Amino acid sequence: MASLCEAALKDGGSAAIAERAAEYVSDETWNALVKKHRRGGCDELAELARAILDGKKQLHALVGRAAGGLLGIFGRSRIERAYAVEFASRIPLPTDVKMAAAARALQIAGIYVCLLGAGDLSRCACLKDVFETEGKDRVKKLVQGAVEDWIELPRRLGDSGGGG
């Protein structure tokens, strides 16, 4: 799996990540991040990405509970409330795309710093998280897609830099 990611990041992929990151954080911040994590790995980046993704899940659960509670106030049946909880918790929220993009950006940055560091992605916490979440068959596509996302991010957000 590590070799698949290394191959996806070669041929300009890692340069695209560094270039895109420079549009969202200062060169000083990016260089400090890379320097800090190059030796120690990406454990903190992986933890932050996980927290964002967990926050997204918690937000969905909160929306679902609110819908169920509202129907409870109106005296609806238990099955109607259960349906509302499940349905409302699965509705895409306006923040979903940005939260997922932020988490994936942290993960791809973590994979990048691990690659720059020891060059051994077999111990990369960010890669491990992506692998556990998405499965082996999707990791290569996700890494390639993440590189493309980094390149296309300003166009998708309708701006030319940070301001997220």
Side-chain angles (χ1 to χ4, degrees):
M1 190 50 50
S3 61
L4 288 175
C5 289
E6 288 170 7
L9 291 171
K10 297 212 190 274
D11 300 326
S14 60
I17 292 168
E19 182 180 315
R20 183 61 56 224
E23 292 188 24
Y24 290 88
V25 297
S26 67
D27 287 342
E28 181 180 341
T29 299
W30 176 250
N31 291 334
L33 175 92
V34 171
K35 183 178 179 182
K36 177 182 184 206
H37 292 283
R38 183 179 285 170
R39 288 183 213 99
C42 67
D43 291 348
E44 292 171 350
L45 294 171
E47 185 177 318
L48 182 56
R50 270 185 246 122
I52 290 170
L53 294 172
D54 288 345
K56 182 179 153 196
K57 289 177 189 174
Q58 291 172 1
L59 184 57
H60 278 268
L62 178 66
V63 169
R65 286 193 307 272
L70 185 61
L71 286 181
I73 290 171
F74 292 120
R76 304 312 302 184
S77 71
R78 186 176 188 169
I79 188 64
E80 289 172 313
R81 291 191 316 263
Y83 176 81
V85 168
E86 191 171 332
F87 181 80
S89 67
R90 293 182 181 179
I91 293 174
L93 300 174
T95 58
D96 284 352
V97 172
K98 287 186 178 185
M99 291 177 80
R104 291 293 185 226
L106 288 167
Q107 290 169 328
I108 199 69
I111 293 168
Y112 175 81
V113 296
C114 286
L115 183 62
L116 284 181
D120 179 13
L121 292 181
S122 65
R123 296 185 322 196
C124 179
C126 288
L127 179 58
K128 180 182 175 195
D129 282 355
V130 173
F131 177 73
E132 287 177 359
T133 302
E134 301 298 333
K136 182 178 180 179
D137 295 337
R138 295 212 357 114
V139 170
K140 183 176 179 182
K141 286 182 181 182
L142 280 171
V143 172
Q144 289 171 335
V147 170
E148 291 171 16
D149 284 349
W150 275 83
I151 293 168
E152 295 293 323
L153 195 57
R155 183 185 61 76
R156 290 181 183 172
L157 293 177
D159 67 12
S160 62

